[in-house]
Amino acid sequence: KEYFDYLQFLEHKKMKEQLKNSFIFLIIGFIFVSISFILSENESFFYRLISEGTMVGGWVSLWEALATILIKWLPLKNKLKIFKKISNAKIECF
């Protein structure tokens, strides 16, 4: 029981860490996309080049945030559920 309680703790910790990282990527993505929109107003080639680079960086960051939440979150949640069931299972000795 204690082992599976420990595994629950570890999975919960991983979930919190991924949620924190996802939130950071989301903020960085919005900042980059905002910078890109601000820089795109200028007609200079240099500013347009920087604008496109920050737009790509922003979308990659936003994609990573969404992928973490939508794709990586579910397997950790399922593992946590399994560990809870095993930890709470009644043990019968014969």
Side-chain angles (χ1 to χ4, degrees):
K1 177 176 174 18
E2 290 177 13
Y3 174 70
F4 287 105
D5 286 338
Y6 175 68
L7 289 179
Q8 282 182 61
F9 170 75
L10 290 179
E11 289 300 314
H12 187 68
K13 188 175 175 180
K14 281 183 194 176
M15 288 174 70
K16 283 174 54 176
E17 185 69 27
Q18 280 193 348
L19 188 61
K20 183 182 85 169
N21 289 341
S22 182
F23 184 69
I24 291 169
F25 279 127
L26 195 65
I27 291 172
I28 291 171
F30 280 128
I31 289 171
F32 273 40
V33 170
S34 299
I35 290 171
S36 174
F37 282 131
I38 291 169
L39 291 177
S40 68
E41 299 293 323
N42 199 324
E43 295 295 322
S44 169
F45 174 75
F46 177 73
Y47 284 117
R48 301 279 313 227
L49 183 68
I50 299 298
S51 171
E52 291 298 320
T54 56
M55 180 65 78
V56 170
W59 283 117
V60 168
S61 181
L62 290 171
W63 173 257
E64 182 63 31
L66 290 174
T68 298
I69 291 172
L70 297 175
I71 297 170
K72 297 176 185 176
W73 183 268
L74 191 59
L76 289 177
K77 190 174 180 183
N78 288 339
K79 272 184 169 180
L80 186 63
K81 190 187 301 183
I82 290 170
F83 292 150
K84 272 186 184 177
K85 283 183 181 180
I86 293 173
S87 177
N88 295 331
K90 184 178 177 185
I91 299 174
E92 294 180 8
C93 297
F94 294 103

